[in-house]
Amino acid sequence: MSRPSPVLGPVPPSRTLTHKTIRKPRRLDPHWQAAFLSPAPAAGSQEEIGTEEGLPETKAESDRTWLLPVAKVAAFLIAINTAWVDGSRARAAAGTETAAAQQSSKLTRTSLPSQAAIERVQVIGTGQQVQVRVEGTGHLWYVPSGLSHPDRLVLDFPGVLLRMEQKLIPSDLPPVRSVRVGQFKADVARVVIDLDAQVPYSISANENVVTVVLRPDVLVGTHARSEKESEKPFVAPEPMPLAAPVAAPKQPSEPAKKSSLETKAETPPETAAPEPSPKPRLPVPVVPPISARKSESSIEPGQVYFETKSIIDGTQLQGNRERSFLHEGTNLTSEVSFFSNAPLLRVRRFEHLVVFRYTDNPRVDPERNSMQRAYLRLIGPSFEAHLGDSLVNYSRLTFGQNIKGLNLGKNLTQRLRITGTVGFFTDRWGSLYRNFTVFRDLALDCQSASKPKEPAPGCIESPPGSNLFVLSPVNPGKPYARLVGGARLEEKVGRNGWLAANWSHGKDLLQSLPAANTICENLSTGVRTARVVSPGCLPSETEVAGSRRPSPEAINNDVLSVDTSLESRALGLRLRGEYAYSWTSGGTPPAGANPNNFVCASQPSIVGGAVLDSRCFDGQVGGYAGRFEIAQRLGKFNWRADYARFQPNFFSANARQIRDLQDFSIRSEFEFARQFTVVGLWRRSNDNLNGRRDFTSLVRAPEVRLIFRELPVYRRMSIEVGYRERNLDFAGTPLATDLRKRSTRIPFMSVGLPIGSTQLSFDYEHRHDGDAVQAPLSSDTDRFAFGYRASYSWGRWGLSPLFRFELERLNKNVPINPQLSAIDSTLAFPADFTDAFDTNRSVQAGFLLEAPRYLRFEGFYREFNSLTLSSLRASAAFDPQLRFFYLNQGFKRPSWRTSVTYKLANDENKTVTVFYERTNNFFDTGQPLVPDLKSFRETVIGATILVRSRW
């Protein structure tokens, strides 16, 4: 189902957000992130909650596609918009801030007091409401987002540290299952509220306390309706960006009733009849609900955002310039972003977004002018139309990609919804509307299409006057593009389940595939080689007649699937699964195919994934895939099991999958007490599901972890110790060169030590890599890591430093004779070997200094270096006999960046940043008399001008 993210605005302190509904399958993402349409992180995953805290995982919902760098930059720059300075305060003073304006103020990320921290999270039952209170020090600014599958509410706190020992707060108050907290990033704390149903909620903030109020007794989307309306199936309106719910028409005989959520958003009246509420699991004091006086709901006014960002830099390269990814000289890159959202016919809203880029830096974008993102969106009470960039996410096995096209969604009934999609998957809009005169025509045979001295469009005569025509090297190949389409029909089952059918289609555009190929035969040796048609065979070769073929065959792929999710609150059980079958144009090469007579023959000739990946087919093949998940929570014990199977010829062009894989895992966790938790995991994977290969790769991976908290020696300290193992074995009759039997055993320990506003961490692990087939290849590795981050404040000054150091030392066996390989058959005794060590180091350090007004200072240093003992043949200058020696080789890559940001009129929306970057790349040849030809240095000096406005 298409789930493009709505765009929301900043949240002022001491305001209560209005009606919002957590509904499936929509997501609510931060401000401009809607423009980049990034997929949601997996529910309960460490990606969702943070990787440093080791929080319990509840559900691996979907792989997250990491954001593009430009998406990260834009999302960050917009998030720090301080619209509360000139917008929220003015509206608050005038007393005219509407409920919708409060909802639109959710996502501003401002300059935050450095000492802000979360110290306590509580789940409280108050009558028909359940409250989640987040308490701490300093101003707790938050960025809320609602996620589904499973339902949960996520609150990110930018500029806030986590100072809590308990990372999981269980709950017996529906609809809250539990609350998880973690340090999502170095400067972002995250609170995840796991829910077992869709319920309305509101959020209020008051300095150092953020309160989330949930109403389990209120059905999603309940509004008063007239008698005429009640005869039709009611379709709950979707939550709209920057919009408050629109009042339903009144009944002719009596005033329209308000939903309890509307009641909360308005001024409380004197009395009202109490609403029925479900029996709570734990006895809590019952407070009669408050009813609202009659009032007309307002329509939220439209909003417009505009941003310009220009970066100009001067880049200098020294040393081996060819190894650098930067473009030397003066470079200019400018981006203009425009977004608007406005009401349309009271119950509908229209929004659009455009992100345009200009650059003369080919390393940033080969096109000088390009439209990066753009969409038009129309939202109604029961439908949604989206034209342009959007994230389409049906199910794991069918559709999950950002596309450029048309998405339509319609609620057929209150519980039945249909979604349709058609469009293209490609990198930018210019890849679609520009033809082969701009991009190279990869299927064009220039020699046949050209006339003497008249090259065909896109071709040149090479060499001049030879009447030999080839594709013009000036025109680049067309970026990969695919025509896509699909549909999803979803029926809600129970309170939080669904049953859905999905269809996904993808067809490669021939123009965007690799160039045409042919077979060339060497006239003297008879060796045949596959080469690109243009420029063709070498002068010493001749083209084999009939071997020329166009670019690889375009995949024409269709996938059908059925997926479901079922839950039992009584048993604390959740079941999810999906079965899919694919049809793909192509399959195995024809009989007798090999690289000499068939360009697309796989190497080696094994059917399945290798053939499908090469996009060289003959006919059509089909294959199935399936996945099944079961999870259960029983008090302090919870467990989850996952099973997935992907046949070798299963292919889904619009979703992620690994073909020819069978995987099973089971995970369990038991909290014996607040101070002690044990976690166990076991996993098994294998391939060769069709039995066409003579051996099967088998992987087994057990793991156990013990977590200790609130220790008597220091109650804020946490310790995690564990052991994990990875075993690789081959079953069947593999060749001697294919045989593998390896085992990696890893004991590890991690210590977290918060001291005031400082967080210290210590990590250690030992890896023993054992090779049962080739014992000399066994090795041992020790890894040490130390981390430090803090947040200090002096008056109105704020300082946030960070530091991390990692050291990895590898102990390996090397032959005493450097001329021999470690697996040489003549090395049969331990005395033939000696110990050697390789070392890898990583250092990161940085700071952020926030002045009371106008200025921000940042600095960051990073260094990676490696030293490896290698067997090298000496140069003639070093040893005239050209003997082998053990010599140290390695590299060192230090880099640092510093910047100063000036806020015009102390406004975060108008800033100028001056920066300096320096990166050195040093390579050690290992021989003092051999010159270094790889090293290079990059120096960048530049400035960034950022202007944002909203009205």
Side-chain angles (χ1 to χ4, degrees):
M1 180 176 296
S2 175
R3 304 183 181 96
S5 305
V7 176
L8 305 168
V11 105
S14 306
R15 293 285 181 182
T16 302
L17 297 182
T18 57
H19 171 40
K20 186 159 298 300
T21 304
I22 307 174
R23 63 184 299 278
K24 138 178 115 303
R26 297 277 307 280
R27 338 179 16 235
L28 304 177
D29 273 342
H31 186 48
W32 282 97
Q33 193 171 348
F36 304 101
L37 305 170
S38 57
S45 65
Q46 289 189 347
E47 178 185 351
E48 176 187 49
I49 199 68
T51 58
E52 300 182 13
E53 303 298 333
L55 297 177
E57 183 180 0
T58 61
K59 172 71 185 60
E61 169 62 23
S62 63
D63 293 331
R64 174 179 179 97
T65 305
W66 292 95
L67 299 177
L68 298 174
V70 61
K72 295 180 180 177
V73 172
F76 171 76
L77 290 173
I78 298 301
I80 62 174
N81 182 358
T82 54
W84 65 277
V85 174
D86 56 358
S88 299
R89 285 184 175 178
R91 287 192 300 270
T96 59
E97 177 170 326
T98 64
Q102 298 174 32
Q103 176 182 353
S104 71
S105 61
K106 294 172 61 172
L107 300 174
T108 294
R109 178 177 179 176
T110 64
S111 300
L112 306 173
S114 301
Q115 70 275 13
I118 295 175
E119 296 182 341
R120 186 181 183 187
V121 176
Q122 292 179 293
V123 182
I124 304 171
T126 56
Q128 297 175 353
Q129 300 177 351
V130 176
Q131 295 184 1
V132 178
R133 287 173 54 88
V134 182
E135 304 174 6
T137 58
H139 291 270
L140 298 182
W141 294 78
Y142 59 93
V143 179
S145 57
L147 303 178
S148 58
H149 306 315
D151 290 305
R152 58 204 187 277
L153 177 62
V154 179
L155 279 76
D156 283 337
F157 293 84
V160 176
L161 295 178
L162 185 66
R163 298 177 186 166
M164 287 183 55
E165 303 168 8
Q166 186 179 4
K167 302 302 186 296
L168 175 64
I169 297 92
S171 170
D172 291 323
L173 300 175
V176 179
R177 293 176 177 266
S178 62
V179 180
R180 295 174 284 128
V181 296
Q183 195 72 41
F184 179 60
K185 295 180 181 177
D187 61 343
V188 179
R190 172 165 286 189
V191 176
V192 178
I193 305 174
D194 294 312
L195 303 169
D196 55 14
Q198 307 172 42
V199 296
Y201 70 88
S202 62
I203 306 177
S204 61
N206 186 6
E207 294 293 335
N208 63 332
V209 178
V210 174
T211 304
V212 182
V213 180
L214 303 107
R215 291 296 303 267
D217 61 316
V218 179
L219 297 178
V220 173
T222 54
H223 289 270
R225 304 190 298 273
S226 64
E227 295 178 358
K228 182 177 181 180
E229 287 177 308
S230 62
E231 298 174 357
K232 303 177 182 179
F234 176 72
V235 180
E238 300 185 13
M240 294 178 285
L242 307 172
V246 179
K250 299 180 181 180
Q251 296 182 6
S253 58
E254 58 180 356
K257 297 180 181 179
K258 297 285 184 179
S259 72
S260 57
L261 201 58
E262 294 173 308
T263 299
K264 182 174 180 58
E266 298 178 356
T267 305
E270 291 73 41
T271 58
E275 301 175 6
S277 61
K279 183 178 180 181
R281 302 181 191 175
L282 294 180
V284 293
V286 178
V287 179
I290 311 172
S291 359
R293 62 190 173 197
K294 184 170 67 176
S295 173
E296 295 292 336
S297 297
S298 60
I299 299 178
E300 181 194 1
Q303 294 197 22
V304 177
Y305 291 84
F306 179 78
E307 174 187 303
T308 62
K309 177 186 175 185
S310 297
I311 303 174
I312 183 170
D313 66 72
T315 302
Q316 181 185 40
L317 303 178
Q318 297 172 287
N320 191 337
R321 291 174 168 80
E322 298 299 324
R323 297 178 63 87
S324 174
F325 290 100
L326 302 183
H327 183 254
E328 193 169 14
T330 302
N331 305 295
L332 173 64
T333 300
S334 297
E335 286 190 357
V336 178
S337 303
F338 179 83
F339 170 82
S340 71
N341 179 288
L344 180 67
L345 302 177
R346 290 187 59 84
V347 294
R348 295 173 177 82
R349 298 196 71 83
F350 176 76
E351 69 180 41
H352 69 279
L353 176 139
V354 175
V355 179
F356 182 84
R357 175 195 287 167
Y358 164 82
T359 181
D360 58 6
N361 187 345
R363 298 301 177 94
V364 173
D365 195 327
E367 294 188 43
R368 280 181 172 261
N369 302 295
S370 61
M371 185 166 60
Q372 296 293 305
R373 296 288 185 272
Y375 72 78
L376 304 174
R377 187 181 181 200
L378 179 64
I379 309 167
S382 63
F383 75 92
E384 178 180 319
H386 194 108
L387 177 63
D389 288 279
S390 64
L391 171 64
V392 179
N393 188 13
Y394 289 171
S395 67
R396 292 195 199 177
L397 303 181
T398 56
F399 219 134
Q401 280 186 340
N402 290 302
I403 73 160
K404 303 178 188 301
L406 176 64
N407 298 290
L408 299 174
K410 172 67 176 177
N411 292 337
L412 302 179
T413 67
Q414 189 173 1
R415 306 183 68 86
L416 184 64
R417 182 176 177 85
I418 187 171
T419 304
T421 301
V422 62
F424 292 91
F425 170 80
T426 189
D427 62 340
R428 63 174 64 85
W429 288 96
S431 302
L432 294 176
Y433 61 74
R434 297 195 178 185
N435 57 26
F436 71 90
T437 61
V438 176
F439 295 114
R440 192 179 308 159
D441 187 358
L442 300 176
L444 178 63
D445 185 347
C446 288
Q447 193 64 39
S448 303
S450 302
K451 299 179 181 179
K453 298 182 180 182
E454 295 183 13
C459 301
I460 61 172
E461 188 178 16
S462 177
S466 63
N467 280 332
L468 297 177
F469 302 95
V470 297
L471 291 173
S472 172
V474 176
N475 297 339
K478 187 180 180 70
Y480 174 67
R482 181 173 65 248
L483 173 67
V484 300
R488 175 179 173 91
L489 183 65
E490 178 181 311
E491 172 79 14
K492 294 179 60 177
V493 178
R495 297 188 59 182
N496 203 32
W498 72 83
L499 176 64
N502 309 280
W503 166 66
S504 170
H505 172 77
K507 181 176 177 58
D508 294 337
L509 299 185
L510 188 65
Q511 278 286 99
S512 68
L513 295 177
N517 291 268
T518 189
I519 295 294
C520 300
E521 182 176 350
N522 190 289
L523 298 176
S524 58
T525 63
V527 174
R528 293 185 174 186
T529 306
R531 300 192 185 280
V532 177
V533 167
S534 189
C537 302
L538 301 177
S540 60
E541 299 173 335
T542 182
E543 183 176 348
V544 177
S547 65
R548 179 174 296 193
R549 63 182 278 125
S551 55
E553 181 179 349
I555 280 184
N556 192 350
N557 173 250
D558 290 276
V559 184
L560 292 177
S561 83
V562 177
D563 71 293
T564 186
S565 176
L566 304 173
E567 294 189 4
S568 170
R569 297 183 60 193
L571 300 177
L573 189 67
R574 182 179 67 243
L575 302 174
R576 290 185 177 175
E578 182 176 9
Y579 177 84
Y581 195 90
S582 70
W583 293 265
T584 306
S585 296
T588 62
N594 60 67
N596 291 331
N597 58 26
F598 187 74
V599 174
C600 291
S602 58
Q603 290 282 353
S605 55
I606 299 175
V607 299
V611 176
L612 288 170
D613 288 337
S614 67
R615 284 170 160 73
C616 298
F617 310 123
D618 180 43
Q620 185 182 74
V621 296
Y624 72 87
R627 61 180 182 88
F628 177 76
E629 306 167 11
I630 179 172
Q632 187 175 29
R633 181 184 296 272
L634 300 171
K636 296 183 177 181
F637 175 76
N638 66 80
W639 66 280
R640 188 185 73 224
D642 300 87
Y643 174 78
R645 182 182 178 96
F646 302 90
Q647 287 296 110
N649 283 330
F650 174 80
F651 182 76
S652 183
N654 299 322
R656 294 181 176 182
Q657 76 283 314
I658 303 176
R659 291 183 294 279
D660 195 14
L661 173 70
Q662 181 174 243
D663 180 78
F664 172 78
S665 66
I666 184 169
R667 182 185 187 275
S668 63
E669 176 180 327
F670 185 75
E671 183 179 351
F672 287 93
R674 290 173 57 89
Q675 296 82 9
F676 178 57
T677 300
V678 60
V679 180
L681 174 67
W682 186 81
R683 188 169 188 172
R684 181 189 184 279
S685 304
N686 70 277
D687 58 4
N688 195 31
L689 301 185
N690 60 4
R692 298 289 295 273
R693 200 170 57 190
D694 55 0
F695 64 91
T696 299
S697 302
L698 182 62
V699 177
R700 300 182 183 88
E703 180 177 343
V704 62
R705 289 187 290 142
L706 305 177
I707 305 172
F708 301 91
R709 314 178 193 87
E710 300 184 6
L711 301 177
V713 61
Y714 187 65
R715 297 188 63 83
R716 297 185 64 187
M717 181 172 64
S718 63
I719 299 178
E720 180 177 338
V721 296
Y723 173 83
R724 65 174 66 98
E725 192 172 301
R726 302 291 185 268
N727 300 300
L728 171 64
D729 196 2
F730 281 4
T733 57
L735 301 176
T737 54
D738 294 328
L739 183 60
R740 299 288 185 274
K741 190 171 184 180
R742 299 183 62 88
S743 177
T744 302
R745 299 179 174 89
I746 308 175
F748 60 92
M749 179 182 69
S750 178
V751 178
L753 188 63
I755 303 175
S757 59
T758 301
Q759 178 75 33
L760 304 177
S761 63
F762 306 88
D763 300 279
Y764 168 76
E765 75 174 26
H766 175 82
R767 295 196 303 270
H768 172 73
D769 292 304
D771 195 316
V773 179
Q774 298 172 334
L777 298 181
S778 301
S779 64
D780 289 273
T781 304
D782 292 285
R783 187 183 72 87
F784 306 87
F786 167 74
Y788 157 80
R789 53 183 170 82
S791 180
Y792 307 113
S793 62
W794 297 273
R796 298 178 62 188
W797 287 81
L799 175 64
S800 299
L802 63 92
F803 174 81
R804 183 168 181 84
F805 173 79
E806 291 190 26
L807 172 65
E808 208 172 70
R809 191 169 176 83
L810 170 68
N811 183 0
K812 61 184 180 181
N813 298 311
V814 297
I816 295 178
N817 183 356
Q819 189 170 352
L820 299 178
S821 168
I823 57 175
D824 193 284
S825 59
T826 62
L827 302 175
F829 303 98
D832 296 331
F833 296 88
T834 186
D835 289 340
F837 296 92
D838 297 338
T839 303
N840 297 310
R841 294 184 183 90
S842 170
V843 180
Q844 301 181 55
F847 73 90
L848 170 64
L849 178 62
E850 190 78 35
R853 294 172 62 86
Y854 299 113
L855 295 176
R856 180 188 304 119
F857 305 89
E858 295 179 77
F860 192 77
Y861 175 81
R862 176 189 288 116
E863 179 180 323
F864 300 100
N865 60 69
S866 176
L867 194 63
T868 304
L869 186 68
S870 305
S871 174
L872 300 173
R873 183 186 291 273
S875 64
F878 184 78
D879 179 29
Q881 300 182 22
L882 302 180
R883 290 173 295 183
F884 282 86
F885 294 90
Y886 281 118
L887 300 172
N888 283 320
Q889 285 186 312
F891 65 87
K892 184 177 182 180
R893 293 174 177 165
S895 65
W896 54 92
R897 184 184 194 277
T898 181
S899 66
V900 179
T901 299
Y902 178 73
K903 295 174 280 187
L904 302 177
N906 199 35
D907 187 356
E908 291 277 0
N909 297 308
K910 302 176 181 64
T911 63
V912 177
T913 301
V914 180
F915 60 89
Y916 172 84
E917 298 179 5
R918 179 73 170 266
T919 302
N920 296 323
N921 296 267
F922 302 127
F923 297 89
D924 188 353
T925 63
Q927 302 185 48
L929 301 180
V930 175
D932 173 24
L933 301 178
K934 295 182 178 180
S935 298
F936 62 97
R937 176 181 294 147
E938 302 167 325
T939 304
V940 181
I941 302 176
T944 301
I945 301 175
L946 175 67
V947 178
R948 288 193 302 263
S949 60
R950 183 187 67 161
W951 60 88

